[in-house]
Amino acid sequence: MALLDNRQFTKALKQTGDLVEVNREVDWDCEIGAIVRRACEMEGPATLFNSIRDYPGHRIFGGPVSTLRRAAVAMGIQPTASTKEIFDQFYQRMQNPIPPVLVAEAPCQENVVVGDAVDLTMFPAPMVHDGDGGRYLCTWHFVVTKDPETGWVNWGMYRVMVHNERHMGGIILATSDAGKMKLKYERMGKPMPFAIAIGPEPVCAISAAVPLPANIDEVDVAGGLAQEPVRLVRCKTVDLEVPANSEIVLEGEILHDVEVEEGPFGEYTGYRSGPRAPRAVYRVNCITWRNNPITVISNMGMPVDEGQICYGTLGVGSGVRQALEAAGIPITGVFVPPYGAGNLIIVGTRKPYNHIATQISQIVFGSRAGMPANFLIVVDDTTDVYNIGKVLHALATKCHWRDGVMTFPAWGNPLAPFLSLRERATGRGGRIVLDCTWPVEWDPEAEKPVKSSFADIYPKELQEKVLRDWHVYGFE
Amino acid sequence: MAREYDTFVDNPDGFEAGEIDVAVRELTPDDRRKKYLTRYVRAKVAPSEEELPGSDILWLRWQRGRVFPRPWRIQVIRELGEFMPKKAVVRNQ
Ligand SMILES: Cc1cc2nc3c(=O)[nH]c(=O)nc-3n(C[C@H](O)[C@H](O)[C@H](O)COP(=O)(O)O)c2cc1C
Ligand SMILES: [Mn+2]
């Protein structure tokens, strides 16, 4: 299938009924944010705004991949596929990466400004939520940086806010790949060159939101997701490359000796819980863009949006599954449900020995992708991890009040809403494991409860007869 | 007409009058596209216009974004530049 760029993606979404076009003029100052937010909470369509107040000629595309259906469209998969089918396809493709190709000419460089001509307010960065720390130009994008020691290039989706005409502020966590590189540049006393691709091919944005192991190239994974190489072009002023069909590209350097206040901003947990704080400064030295640029925004908050779908379900889900498979755990499924906000992980497993839930928790919370999450539910192979009702039932009936519940102290995620401000500032948190599997030593006949279900409690011959005659009884 | 700014503080209830270094966001720029841009300034702040005649409006927000219902007044004394010098503290964020 052909790799879709941002514009082809909007057309494909229109065809599948996953996009609404708004032609009436709308305001970048909160109105667009409010519309996209409501659509997200309804699990409704994406929105293409064709007329933006103060910004003639510009458009905004909101909520690009805030449902799994739209992730499927981005990868050329039938949008009606089940959650399991979409996730399995994603998982299989991400493990078959395809390297990019370099092109000489690119739509994203149809327009160029450099130096003093740079003015970030020429793009309709939205005020996404009322009370946010500023206008967020970068919420469906990625930051490209190069390791100064190894030359390895990372793509990561880290939010960035407009500070003034030439500068932006952003979160770059020390646990992120860019955060690790930033420390190296700081030690060398050199600013960190960056490029930011806004509104890239959607598979590229998805890949950049997946917590891949270090030294795995997001661009190759994006190629794998589309089953076609991503086309890259060299930047104008930094030694980095970006997808040729990106809508807008920012080039510049991240400074070390100064900070700006950034945030607060609605987060993937569903809250605006991280306070405003001094954060990294991006100095923009060059902007390039496609003719009639479409600024793309994700509106993070209460499920469901890109935070839960791209980072949580696809990103954390795939990373945790890889870690468990690598450790040889006999898993039967991994699911990070969108309403679990990347914070709750469900693992299905066969249970050859007791305390496999403990071992799973050590792998899950010890893995890069699972480290920021807080809850783990372990079910056995009789529970479908994608069926939240069945998982809830297993939790309500199989989790022993003491032996099935385990908590232990661990790194406190600064965005965990239930931690106090002090706990967050000092990184003091914990993890909760809920083991919903029967003890191995329970005798199957004498002690293990018999499941009172059609498939478990009737003789096979009777089940077959009832199934065969189902419509004869009068059922549809 | 008075211009309007806002700033984020830990505790709007305990905000004190006086001369402070503060990051302010522009809320009423001539060019609307410049709304929400930030400057660092030295300024006098007071709870009412009587205490700071001819001053501009300063809205206070909690660090997590909610606006405090009662606006303060501000009079910018001088510009401090585009950034803050970096503080040498370790933060988990
Ligand atoms: C819309 C969106 C916004 C995000 N914003 C941030 C952010 O501001 N900071 C951050 O550390 N991670 C953020 N993430 C999660 C990262 O993209 C994710 O952890 C990714 O793995 C980072 O790339 P890296 O693994 O190369 O460091 C965001 C994810 C999404 C989907
Ligand atoms: Mn990475």
Side-chain angles (χ1 to χ4, degrees):
Chain A
M1 87 118 212
L3 180 140
L4 302 178
D5 74 6
N6 184 56
R7 297 181 187 194
Q8 294 161 333
F9 182 49
T10 60
K11 293 203 177 81
L13 291 178
K14 183 111 196 194
Q15 269 170 16
T16 58
D18 289 276
L19 180 127
V20 166
E21 279 194 64
V22 175
N23 293 318
R24 118 153 46 159
E25 186 186 87
V26 285
D27 198 338
W28 56 265
D29 192 2
C30 288
E31 186 183 6
I32 287 171
I35 296 167
V36 174
R37 184 96 289 282
R38 182 154 194 267
C40 283
E41 288 169 26
M42 295 165 70
E43 299 183 44
T47 327
L48 184 60
F49 299 97
N50 289 325
S51 175
I52 317 291
R53 182 171 174 193
D54 302 325
Y55 289 95
H58 285 257
R59 289 188 281 170
I60 289 182
F61 173 31
V65 183
S66 55
T67 60
L68 265 187
R69 273 181 66 91
R70 305 214 277 276
V73 174
M75 293 186 286
I77 299 169
Q78 274 301 323
T80 49
S82 70
T83 298
K84 179 180 187 321
E85 285 164 344
I86 296 170
F87 183 64
D88 282 350
Q89 266 293 318
F90 172 84
Y91 189 66
Q92 188 249 318
R93 291 186 186 191
M94 73 176 278
Q95 299 188 102
N96 290 284
I98 298 175
V101 293
L102 203 60
V103 298
E105 304 242 324
C108 71
Q109 295 177 340
E110 283 165 347
N111 305 273
V112 183
V113 292
V114 290
D116 289 341
V118 165
D119 179 1
L120 294 164
T121 67
M122 62 193 279
F123 298 98
M127 191 67 174
V128 178
H129 317 88
D130 186 29
D132 279 351
R135 299 172 66 177
Y136 279 82
L137 182 56
C138 306
T139 58
W140 185 249
H141 68 295
F142 54 84
V143 180
V144 187
T145 50
K146 186 177 278 188
D147 188 303
E149 288 166 3
T150 67
W152 178 67
V153 171
N154 185 67
W155 290 4
M157 187 180 286
Y158 321 112
R159 75 185 194 204
V160 195
M161 185 190 99
V162 176
H163 173 72
N164 62 24
E165 284 90 343
R166 276 290 294 273
H167 301 92
M168 308 187 294
I171 287 198
I172 305 177
L173 293 178
T175 48
S176 69
D177 285 339
K180 290 167 197 157
M181 293 179 184
K182 184 169 180 285
L183 280 178
K184 293 187 185 180
Y185 281 100
E186 263 180 66
R187 276 201 299 271
M188 296 163 85
K190 288 202 272 189
M192 177 161 76
F194 74 85
I196 294 179
I198 300 168
E201 289 75 351
V203 286
C204 295
I206 294 173
S207 166
V210 174
L212 296 169
N215 297 319
I216 300 287
D217 291 41
E218 280 85 2
V219 65
D220 298 2
V221 169
L225 294 181
Q227 300 183 313
E228 193 183 304
V230 175
R231 284 179 294 279
L232 297 180
V233 67
R234 275 190 208 296
C235 290
K236 294 282 181 192
T237 63
V238 285
D239 180 22
L240 296 167
E241 285 134 27
V242 288
N245 291 348
S246 307
E247 295 286 349
I248 303 167
V249 177
L250 311 176
E251 304 177 8
E253 53 205 348
I254 293 169
L255 311 177
H256 302 307
D257 46 346
V258 288
E259 293 180 314
V260 291
E261 291 182 18
E262 187 267 352
F265 188 64
E267 293 146 5
Y268 68 93
T269 60
Y271 301 89
R272 190 159 60 195
S273 72
R276 190 172 182 79
R279 299 210 168 94
V281 181
Y282 294 70
R283 168 172 285 157
V284 181
N285 295 323
C286 171
I287 310 180
T288 74
W289 68 95
R290 285 181 80 158
N291 292 337
N292 309 307
I294 304 177
T295 302
V296 189
I297 73 154
S298 164
N299 183 326
M300 305 247 280
M302 288 298 278
V304 177
D305 58 55
E306 288 74 11
Q308 294 104 22
I309 294 293
C310 302
Y311 170 70
T313 300
L314 298 175
V316 177
S318 61
V320 163
R321 181 159 158 187
Q322 276 184 325
L324 290 168
E325 283 180 359
I329 304 294
I331 55 168
T332 54
V334 172
F335 185 41
V336 179
Y339 283 86
N343 207 26
L344 179 147
I345 296 165
I346 301 166
V347 175
T349 181
R350 288 195 294 284
K351 186 172 177 182
Y353 42 84
N354 281 326
H355 275 301
I356 196 166
T358 311
Q359 186 190 11
I360 288 172
S361 79
Q362 287 159 345
I363 295 161
V364 166
F365 295 127
S367 73
R368 170 157 205 255
M371 183 213 185
N374 292 282
F375 289 88
L376 171 67
I377 297 180
V378 179
V379 296
D380 67 25
D381 54 339
T382 63
T383 302
D384 174 5
V385 295
Y386 297 101
N387 187 327
I388 296 302
K390 301 278 188 203
V391 171
L392 195 60
H393 181 260
L395 173 62
T397 58
K398 294 170 82 169
C399 183
H400 187 271
W401 64 274
R402 184 190 55 224
D403 302 342
V405 181
M406 183 169 59
T407 73
F408 54 90
W411 174 72
N413 182 335
L415 302 184
F418 56 79
L419 294 180
S420 72
L421 286 176
R422 168 144 187 85
E423 286 171 322
R424 283 190 232 166
T426 54
R428 289 186 163 80
R431 302 290 178 266
I432 300 159
V433 185
L434 300 164
D435 180 357
C436 311
T437 63
W438 304 125
V440 168
E441 68 279 10
W442 280 11
D443 184 276
E445 298 306 330
E447 191 159 20
K448 207 165 127 185
V450 178
K451 209 176 197 177
S452 178
S453 73
F454 178 74
D456 292 276
I457 211 161
Y458 300 102
K460 268 277 160 298
E461 309 78 66
L462 180 57
Q463 287 184 34
E464 281 162 16
K465 176 174 190 295
V466 168
L467 288 177
R468 197 174 52 239
D469 294 345
W470 194 242
H471 61 280
V472 180
Y473 300 126
F475 292 93
E476 288 285 313
Chain B
M1 232 182 57
R3 302 183 79 88
E4 295 189 34
Y5 303 92
D6 70 359
T7 191
F8 292 71
V9 300
D10 288 339
N11 176 14
D13 275 312
F15 200 58
E16 286 179 19
E19 207 174 293
I20 56 169
D21 293 347
V22 63
V24 291
R25 295 195 310 178
E26 194 80 54
L27 298 183
T28 52
D30 299 332
D31 177 354
R32 194 167 177 274
R33 297 180 309 167
K34 311 281 172 183
K35 189 175 173 188
Y36 300 117
L37 297 190
T38 298
R39 298 143 58 197
Y40 291 93
V41 296
R42 163 141 300 196
K44 281 187 190 158
V45 294
S48 70
E49 200 191 352
E50 291 76 70
E51 286 161 80
L52 210 55
S55 56
D56 291 319
I57 292 167
L58 178 69
W59 294 94
L60 304 180
R61 287 182 184 275
W62 278 271
Q63 299 289 9
R64 288 186 288 177
R66 289 279 192 210
V67 67
F68 186 66
R70 191 163 37 79
W72 276 56
R73 306 297 296 199
I74 182 168
Q75 196 163 50
V76 173
I77 301 169
R78 65 184 154 87
E79 302 289 327
L80 296 178
E82 296 183 302
F83 315 113
M84 296 185 289
K86 192 161 169 176
K87 294 193 193 80
V89 293
V90 176
R91 289 191 218 92
N92 182 45
Q93 60 193 14

